[in-house]
Amino acid sequence: MSHPWRGVVEWTAGSCERFIWHPETGTLAPYRTEPRPAPVNYGCLPGTHNPADHAEVDAVWLGETRPVGTRTEEVPTGLLWLADGDHKVVFGDPARAAGLLAWFPPERGARLLGPEEAQAWLAEVGRPDGA
């Protein structure tokens, strides 16, 4: 069954300024300036753990620009699958994912899977905080 996940935007679509979520304080702080602007709103799902990079699960929000610090609670619409296992949970209209897929170099093997795969992967990596 699909259920919503809590997320926070760390990097606004169209911006090079990236922030980072600090789970211990529940705050955002400047992280770095990227060479290319984000094609989507990018962030994380606090309270989760991605075994591929030992950080919170990454999330992307397709569609309207969302300011850094925007908090959401939404049902995933897809999973950006990557060959290295550092998958990203997708929210928003998957028809708007072309820019996201093109952003990753071919060797990362980016492909968009459906909402069922997103929920299955999230269930596998779990919610360590019990949320």
Side-chain angles (χ1 to χ4, degrees):
M1 177 161 116
S2 296
H3 63 275
W5 289 77
R6 291 187 313 257
V8 64
V9 174
E10 299 171 301
W11 190 7
T12 299
S15 172
C16 292
E17 299 306 315
R18 192 168 177 181
F19 289 72
I20 189 167
W21 174 257
H22 291 288
E24 57 283 345
T25 62
T27 61
L28 287 159
Y31 181 52
R32 67 181 179 217
T33 300
E34 297 288 348
R36 297 186 306 161
V40 296
N41 302 291
Y42 193 92
C44 69
L45 303 179
T48 60
H49 180 261
N50 182 347
D53 66 1
H54 305 290
E56 286 86 14
V57 169
D58 293 329
V60 297
W61 291 270
L62 306 172
E64 299 296 318
T65 300
R66 298 178 184 212
V68 166
T70 300
R71 295 172 192 254
T72 71
E73 191 163 330
E74 300 175 48
V75 174
T77 56
L79 180 71
L80 178 68
W81 184 94
L82 296 169
D84 61 10
D86 190 15
H87 311 319
K88 311 336 178 170
V89 178
V90 177
F91 298 93
D93 183 357
R96 300 180 79 175
L100 173 64
L101 291 167
W103 194 40
F104 288 91
E107 60 272 13
R108 295 222 38 210
R111 58 190 170 108
L112 189 61
L113 305 180
E116 297 83 11
E117 289 87 356
Q119 289 287 358
W121 183 70
L122 284 164
E124 182 182 313
V125 298
R127 291 182 172 196
D129 68 353

